[in-house]
Structures are given as structure tokens and as C-alpha cells.
Amino acid sequence: MADTQFSVTTSPHLRTTVTVSSAMRDVLYALAPITLVSIYWFKFNAVFLIAVCLIVAMLTELLFRKAMNKPATLKDGSALVTGLLVALCSGGCSAWWVGALATFIAVGIAKELMGGLGWNRFNPAAFGRISVFLLTPFFYWLGLAFSPLQASFGGLDVITSATPLALLKQGTALPDLGSLFLSFPGGALGETSALALLIGGAYLLYKEHIRWHIPVSIVAGVFVMALLFGDHSTTPFYLTPFYHIFSGGVLLGALFMATDWVTSPITPRGRVIFGLAIGILLMIFRLALGPTEGTCFSILIMNAFVPLIDRLTRQRKFGEAPARPAPVAVKPSLEKSS
Amino acid sequence: MAVSIATFKGGVHPEYFKELTASLAVTPVEPPKQVVIPMLQHIGAPCEPLVKPGDRVLVGEKIGESEAFVSAPVHATVSGEITAVAPHAHPSGQMIEAITIESDGEDSWEQPAAVEFDWEKLSPDEIRRRIREAGIVGLGGAAFPAHVKLAPPEDKPIDTVILNGAECEPYLTADHRLMLEQPQQIVTGLLIMLKILGAGRGIIGIEDNKADALRVMRQEIEGRPELKVASLRTCYPQGAEKMLIEVTAGRTVPAGGLPMDVGVVNHNVGTALAIARAVTEGRPLVERVVTVTGGGVARPANLLVRIGTRVGDLLELCGGMKEDTGKLIIGGPMMGLSQPHPDIPVVKGTSGITVLSDEEFELEEATACIKCAKCVDSCPVNLLPLFLAEAAEHGLIERAEKYRAADCIECGCCSYICPARRPLTQWIRLAKAEVLKRRRQR
């Protein structure tokens, strides 16, 4: 009898059913509504761009891990999430190779070269997107250099097409807030519907993959900054913040990119600091510098501060507050009567 | 039923699987032919055997005793002949000196020495003496000697006694059944404790997945304004000492402190029952209720068994283990100890035997931490399990101490929730043991 062998491990012996792969799958589900809306508006362009980004993401991960002699991790699904996010950050009329390059940088450099999922300090999708944005002048130079060869690189539309924000800046007629909220084909694929993003975000909240702190504090930061410093000349004072929140990459960033597990703080207090800082930074970008890419830039900047935020917001230990003196009187009952 | 709002910060919601045994009344098991009674079934000093091979003993006869204050005597649980005094496999994983008794089949009991069984006429000291003599330890699983908790130092006045009927550990239903079947004895045990400690109120905390137990216990305390039944939200580890005190009494046990620091003594409902029987019947702790459960066992049950019964025999009684049994756990699946084989005795702290089929648990390979912080959100004592485990994994004990490894209550929430399947609790437990060891050496 004594030789009967069962597996012996330390407790706990139960595990939740949620794994990294199942969580990544949930993120893909959550991105489905906005993906569908973007396909509705940009048709084949969107389908093609998304497909290219997904395929490049997987190939890049395979390639890098193979080159570094590491086991394949495609089944964790994180490459697909990064690929899809890069596509959604790209403009509806972007050339396919811009998306492909951004994805390659995102997965290959920002994730795999940093050690793979879990070790990356910066949000891969934001990193990839910002890299191609910064490389724009180089692409123009390339285009000029190769123009004698009649080589076509497709539309050099690295910068997203006129977003409602750009329109706001130019003073052009604006879409009304309602259509901005429901669906409006300005800007990047992932900026076509606030509603679709909110539905996806609600799903992630329900699944407890994200917590409310980061999205809410980003939106709060944007709201306050827009109220205080926004351009109220074309819109009523109280509506300006909503234009800022529902347009551009705010919601995509707040719900899906800033909440990235690996690159966001681990404590509730840290998440609030992180979110507020992103909201404020992105409004500084928008109001002072230029109408595009503020969200991705702000997220990357704050990614760099995460270790510091984590250190500064360590949670108080249980029972650290001085113990209340034991009251002699019986305290009122905690429960409701049945 | 009232909606329970009472809960703590953090925790997890594993599937409970209590329906396997929740509706099954406790069935007494015939005294076995042979029992193996370890000399250490509690936290504290081990007992010295009082008998030798060849001696004959009666049920309830003391066979092991220690001079130490933090210890509890052990008793014969069948009548018959001592056949061995030798080390034997123990649920803790160690080999521990144990006394083997072959039953004579008579089940003859030793007559209780006490004469006065009306507890209200007894002095606190006499009650404490009887509790110690009966060998009562915490029956929820920790097995801390009951009389020690009931003898706090003078400068720690106790005003509240909390009975733990939360039974937050998945699968287990022993406490649930006790509350349904012997509420009167449990309340008596609580009243006895209030008397010893001079405490003014008693609270019985029960998770709201046990509506019937809440109802029965509420009926039982009717007319006693000093007693209260608190409905707690079902959330693991609601029954952990510090959580329970926070939720039911609204007091926070300081880090590194004990419940008595906030005027509270905490006992399991099963312990209250054992105390009542020891004081009012002179009955030593020779049997306990054990839930035998899990998908790996043919007929799950709640059994009243003699301490020292072989776990393997109990499993036979429940139809044996199924082919695909992968894990045998003493206790529940969150905090229980997994065993390599069933040749171990039921001890005082054995609240359950959980047999998991291969489907019910998984051995997945851990991947890199993705800093999702689900472990941080679920930690009931506000630790940062991911950083703590990382420090432990790299042997950085000083850093682990800074991250407060010593405060870990080893509930297992962090390992449970980790999507990367990292064995966080295991690393933290190792670091905690090392930190405590170093502190003792200082």
C-alpha cells in the first residue's frame, strides 16, 4: 500500500481556469466589436491590414524565438493581440507595409528582444506604432530616393488621416458628438467607434482582466485637462471634454493599451497615478504639440515610470495601522437581520 | 435570506464542490481493528508515550502526555492491546512516533474521572484543566492546543469569542454538518469559552452558501443577546483567522500580532463541540468528523471516525479510489497536504480527505510572470506575491523579508489565481520559513 504513488505538490491544489492564453483570447474577443466596425468603414483595406499585422506578428515571434533558441509561445496568443492592436492603431488608408513594419518592431524588438512576454518594459503595440511614426521622414526620403526607379510603396500615409481632432484644430465642420460616439470613420481603424471600444472594455472588466482604475483615471485626466485648457471656441464649454474622450486613441489606449498587464503598475494606487499621468500627458501632446499619436506617446512615457510607481505605492501591510483598542462595549451588529 | 455584505479585501472564488457531501448526514464509522496514534497531532511539544507494547488500554485512556504548556495529551481511541510504539508516516510528511493499538472489539470506555458535569458550576481553571486533559486542539486544521488560546495573559483582556463556521475551504462540509446536527453542543461550547474568558459576546461566522446552517444556528441562539450569528459572503479565505476577525468584529489584528491583541479569541465550531463534550460529559477527543470527498472517491461521505483510523481504510469504506486518482489530500484542496500514499492515520486536525481525479487538478508548467497583479488583488493580507516570490526564487531572503514574507498566511490565493501558473505560494512559504528561522536565531 505504501508504494502507491500520487502526485505530491504543495498547496493549493486547485487552479483557476484562467490562463495567459485564455486571457489573451478574451482580449481578442473584446477587440472584435471595434475590429468589425473598422472593417465596416474601411472594407478590404482594413481586412488586409489586419491580416498582414496578425500574420507578421506570428511570424516575427516564431522567427525571434527560433533564433534565440527559445521554445515557441505562439499559443499564449500575445502575438495576435499585439498584431491586432498595431493594426487598430494604424490609419484606415495606411500602406500594408507600414503596419507590417510596426508589427515587426512591436513583436520582435519591443517584446522578444526584451525577453519575451512578461519581460517587456514598453507596450509592444505602442512601441511599434511610435517607431514607424518617428521613421516617417525616413520613408519620405526613401520614396524620393527611389522615385527614379518608379518603385511604388503605396500611400505613405503613416500619419493617420484627418481625425476629428485634426478637424477640430483646423476649424472644419465637426461630426456631432452622437456620431462620434457611435461610429465615425476618422483616424485609425481602432478609433472608429467609442461605443464598440466601451463594449469591449466592459467585457474585459466583467472578466476581471482589467480593473477600472487605469481607464477611469485616464479619462478623468483628459476630462479635466480638456475642461481647463481645451479650445472651447467651436464647441460648447461642457462638451469639449467629450470630443476629446470619444475621438482619437483615448479609449483604445485607455481600455486596451494602458491596461496591458505587463507594462502597467500592480497596485490600485499605482494604477490611478499611472492613468492620471497618461491622461494629462496626452492632453499636453494634443493641445501643445500635435493632434496625433499623443496616446501612444503618453503610454510609452508612463511605461518607463512603472517600476518607480510600483516601488512608491507598495501596499500597506495588513494590520499596519495601529490596532484599535479593544472596545469593551458590544459593537452594533454588522449583518442585516434575516 | 439576508444579503451578506460582510467580506474582506481580496480573496478568490474557487468552485466549491460542496454539493458532493453537503446533504449527507454524519455517519458514525465502526471502531477500526487497528489504530495508529501519533504522539504529535498538534502545534507544540510532542507527547511522550505512557504505554508500551503489550499493555492493554480502554477507549479514552491517556496514552501520551507532555510536560510542556503548549501541547495536548493523546488518548486511546479503541480498547485493546498496544502492539507497537514506533515512528509511522504522518500526514505532515514526516515519520513521527506513534502508538499502534489492536482492537479487542469490545469498545470498552474508561469511566470519566470528573463528577460534576454542570459547567456553570465549574471554575474557569477547572474547565481549562478538563479541556487540556481531553486533548482538545483546534479542529479546523491548525491543531493549536485549545486550552492555550483560552488562557491569555492578564494584560490581554478578551471581550469577544468568534466561532469559525465559515468553512471556506472547497469540498469540505464537516463543520457545515456539525452546525446542522449538533447546534446545541456548539453553542454550549461557545458559552463555556465566554465564561472562561469573561468575554461579553460570542459571534458565529458562517458563509452565506450555508443558508440552512445560518438558519439553524440563529434559532439556537435565540434569547441570548450576547450571541450573534454573522452571515459572511462566500469568498475564500473568509475563515482565515485575521479575515474572520476583521469581518465579524471589525477589528484588525496587527501584523505579527495575535487575535488576543485585539481582545478576540477564535475557535472552530468543531472545537466548540469538542469542548462542550469534554466539559459536560468528561469525554476526551477520540473521534472527529471527517469529510471524505472529491471526484476520485466512489462514495463521498461525512464520517464520524476514531482518531488513528487509517486513511486507506476510510477510503475503502467509501467505495475505494477510482482508477484515475491523481492526488490524495489531507484537508481541503486550498491548504491541505497532498500525500504520496494512504497509509497514514486520521489525526486531530484532519478535517477532510480530498481525493482528486486527474481531471480535477492540473500540473501545468509555469511561464514568465506577466505582472497581471491578480495575485496582488487577491492577497487578503496585502502582500505583493509576485515580487515576494521572485525574491524567494532567487534566494534573496532579506528582500523577501522586506516584502513581509513573514506575514503570509499561506492561504494559496496567489497560486490559485496566477494565469501563468507560477507556484507563488510555494516560493513564499519557503521564504517565510527561512525568514522566521533567521529571526529566531537573532
Side-chain angles (χ1 to χ4, degrees):
Chain A
M1 206 63 193
D3 58 345
T4 319
Q5 286 295 316
F6 304 118
S7 36
V8 176
T9 58
T10 57
S11 63
H13 308 286
L14 291 185
R15 293 288 189 278
T16 167
T17 52
V18 177
T19 61
V20 175
S21 330
S22 81
M24 292 294 173
R25 200 174 53 228
D26 285 341
V27 176
L28 292 175
Y29 291 158
L31 285 169
I34 188 66
T35 306
L36 292 177
V37 173
S38 74
I39 290 172
Y40 169 80
W41 286 112
F42 295 106
K43 307 283 180 316
F44 180 72
N45 243 355
V47 175
F48 187 64
L49 189 63
I50 291 167
V52 165
C53 288
L54 293 180
I55 291 166
V56 170
M58 289 194 286
L59 289 179
T60 308
E61 184 171 304
L62 271 180
L63 184 78
F64 274 77
R65 293 195 77 87
K66 185 101 187 144
M68 292 189 286
N69 266 328
K70 289 180 177 174
T73 49
L74 272 188
K75 73 172 177 5
D76 70 25
S78 74
L80 290 177
V81 169
T82 303
L84 184 55
L85 280 173
V86 171
L88 291 174
C89 287
S90 308
C93 310
S94 296
W96 65 269
W97 61 266
V98 174
L101 183 63
T103 308
F104 178 81
I105 295 172
V107 176
I109 297 173
K111 196 179 79 177
E112 290 308 329
L113 284 188
M114 298 284 277
L117 181 68
W119 297 100
N120 51 306
R121 191 118 278 170
F122 296 97
N123 182 301
F127 190 94
R129 174 68 201 156
I130 290 299
S131 300
V132 292
F133 176 75
L134 294 177
L135 287 170
T136 307
F138 175 67
F139 297 144
Y140 278 114
W141 175 80
L142 263 190
L144 289 175
F146 283 85
S147 57
L149 300 176
Q150 304 290 313
S152 167
F153 289 91
L156 283 172
D157 195 7
V158 175
I159 303 174
T160 51
S161 64
T163 66
L165 283 175
L167 297 177
L168 193 68
K169 209 151 186 130
Q170 292 155 18
T172 331
L174 277 167
D176 66 284
L177 206 53
S179 53
L180 199 55
F181 178 73
L182 278 177
S183 191
F184 177 77
L189 295 186
E191 299 167 4
T192 43
S193 168
L195 180 63
L197 289 166
L198 287 172
I199 290 171
Y203 177 70
L204 289 184
L205 272 171
Y206 165 73
K207 284 284 194 172
E208 294 188 353
H209 293 318
I210 64 174
R211 302 283 169 169
W212 61 267
H213 309 87
I214 293 175
V216 168
S217 49
I218 290 180
V219 169
V222 170
F223 190 95
V224 172
M225 288 290 285
L227 212 54
L228 293 179
F229 306 111
D231 176 5
H232 303 298
S233 58
T234 51
T235 48
F237 175 74
Y238 57 92
L239 283 182
T240 314
F242 291 100
Y243 271 97
H244 277 283
I245 291 164
F246 293 144
S247 65
V250 172
L251 289 178
L252 182 67
L255 292 165
F256 293 97
M257 294 170 77
T259 51
D260 169 32
W261 284 343
V262 183
T263 56
S264 62
I266 58 166
T267 63
R269 271 190 306 154
R271 293 172 197 151
V272 170
I273 296 170
F274 178 77
L276 282 176
I278 289 176
I280 292 168
L281 269 180
L282 90 84
M283 284 307 289
I284 294 175
F285 275 106
R286 279 189 176 179
L287 298 171
L289 299 171
T292 56
E293 308 301 337
T295 310
C296 281
F297 265 122
S298 318
I299 290 173
L300 287 180
I301 291 170
M302 289 317 295
N303 282 162
F305 283 92
V306 167
L308 181 67
I309 295 174
D310 279 346
R311 193 169 317 155
L312 295 179
T313 60
R314 270 183 213 171
Q315 280 169 294
R316 245 198 8 222
K317 65 177 144 182
F318 184 89
E320 189 165 53
R324 277 170 267 182
V328 181
V330 171
K331 291 185 59 162
S333 136
L334 252 182
E335 51 167 342
K336 293 175 186 165
S337 57
S338 56
Chain B
M1 206 198 78
V3 179
S4 333
I5 45 156
T7 191
F8 57 97
K9 177 214 144 288
V12 293
H13 298 274
E15 265 199 78
Y16 267 49
F17 298 106
K18 297 205 186 237
E19 65 285 353
L20 287 172
T21 50
S23 59
L24 304 176
V26 173
T27 318
V29 174
E30 287 288 306
K33 291 197 183 69
Q34 189 195 59
V35 290
V36 175
I37 300 175
M39 290 295 99
L40 184 62
Q41 304 186 34
H42 48 263
I43 293 174
C47 293
E48 292 296 326
L50 301 174
V51 291
K52 53 185 192 307
D55 289 356
R56 299 198 69 82
V57 289
L58 296 171
V59 182
E61 200 174 320
K62 207 198 287 182
I63 55 173
E65 173 66 291
S66 165
E67 295 289 309
F69 177 60
V70 183
S71 187
V74 294
H75 303 81
T77 59
V78 293
S79 59
E81 188 184 330
I82 310 289
T83 55
V85 179
H88 192 279
H90 187 275
S92 69
Q94 294 163 291
M95 295 295 284
I96 287 185
E97 183 161 54
I99 294 174
T100 307
I101 311 173
E102 291 295 334
S103 170
D104 55 12
E106 302 285 323
D107 201 31
S108 342
W109 285 66
E110 189 184 55
Q111 287 310 306
V115 281
E116 178 57 71
F117 289 127
D118 183 354
W119 64 270
E120 289 180 80
K121 294 189 183 143
L122 298 171
S123 72
D125 280 342
E126 169 62 12
I127 298 176
R128 266 193 284 262
R129 195 191 61 78
R130 283 194 193 180
I131 292 171
R132 185 186 193 284
E133 279 304 296
I136 295 170
V137 301
L139 298 185
F144 192 77
H147 66 275
V148 180
K149 277 205 224 172
L150 294 172
E154 293 273 321
D155 60 336
K156 306 270 185 198
I158 303 296
D159 66 349
T160 304
V161 175
I162 298 171
L163 281 196
N164 184 356
E167 201 162 51
C168 57
E169 185 64 70
Y171 287 91
L172 304 188
T173 55
D175 291 346
H176 183 183
R177 293 310 307 180
L178 281 184
M179 288 189 282
L180 290 180
E181 296 172 28
Q182 308 203 48
Q184 197 193 346
Q185 298 267 41
I186 291 171
V187 170
T188 304
L190 177 55
L191 292 171
I192 291 172
M193 289 189 243
L194 291 184
K195 175 182 165 122
I196 306 178
L197 294 162
R201 76 169 166 169
I203 306 171
I204 305 167
I206 304 171
E207 278 193 347
D208 60 6
N209 60 354
K210 294 178 267 291
D212 47 356
L214 279 164
R215 198 174 53 240
V216 169
M217 292 309 296
R218 280 197 173 122
Q219 275 165 11
E220 197 59 43
I221 61 163
E222 235 161 72
R224 294 189 183 278
E226 75 274 30
L227 301 187
K228 194 185 92 167
V229 169
S231 170
L232 316 171
R233 189 181 294 170
T234 301
C235 180
Y236 180 86
Q238 192 69 264
E241 192 169 74
K242 291 182 177 186
M243 304 349 2
L244 191 66
I245 293 171
E246 171 120 324
V247 170
T248 56
R251 296 182 198 164
T252 306
V253 179
L258 292 170
M260 64 180 178
D261 295 331
V262 291
V264 173
V265 160
N266 199 347
H267 269 296
N268 174 268
V269 287
T271 316
L273 177 91
I275 286 176
R277 299 199 73 179
V279 177
T280 65
E281 298 171 29
R283 197 179 169 99
L285 184 62
V286 296
E287 57 190 6
R288 68 157 296 146
V289 177
V290 176
T291 304
V292 182
T293 183
V297 69
R299 291 192 301 274
N302 293 305
L303 304 174
L304 179 66
V305 304
R306 295 288 165 89
I307 285 156
T309 306
R310 278 181 65 254
V311 166
D313 292 347
L314 284 184
L315 290 170
E316 291 301 316
L317 204 69
C318 294
M321 282 178 282
K322 294 181 187 164
E323 289 268 305
D324 63 345
T325 293
K327 225 176 218 186
L328 171 66
I329 300 160
I330 296 301
M334 291 302 285
M335 290 190 80
L337 299 166
S338 65
Q339 305 292 330
H341 58 75
D343 189 17
I344 43 166
V346 166
V347 294
K348 291 174 181 175
T350 307
S351 48
I353 300 168
T354 311
V355 186
L356 298 184
S357 63
D358 284 329
E359 284 164 29
E360 287 173 288
F361 76 98
E362 39 173 338
L363 288 172
E364 275 184 88
E365 215 173 309
T367 53
C369 172
I370 48 166
K371 302 184 182 66
C372 64
K374 282 175 191 269
C375 57
V376 179
D377 293 332
S378 70
C379 180
V381 287
N382 284 350
L383 301 178
L384 302 175
L386 72 170
F387 292 154
L388 188 42
E390 190 187 25
E393 197 174 351
H394 294 109
L396 304 171
I397 300 303
E398 268 149 45
R399 185 184 295 183
E401 184 165 13
K402 236 184 255 171
Y403 278 113
R404 308 193 311 266
D407 291 352
C408 174
I409 59 169
E410 303 182 37
C411 63
C413 287
C414 50
S415 284
Y416 170 83
I417 205 82
C418 181
R421 297 293 184 260
R422 300 178 66 74
L424 300 165
T425 313
Q426 182 178 328
W427 283 118
I428 298 169
R429 195 179 275 138
L430 289 172
K432 177 183 173 182
E434 187 61 31
V435 165
L436 293 179
K437 196 174 104 193
R438 289 188 186 186
R439 279 190 193 168
R440 279 195 301 272
Q441 284 165 357
R442 266 178 226 150

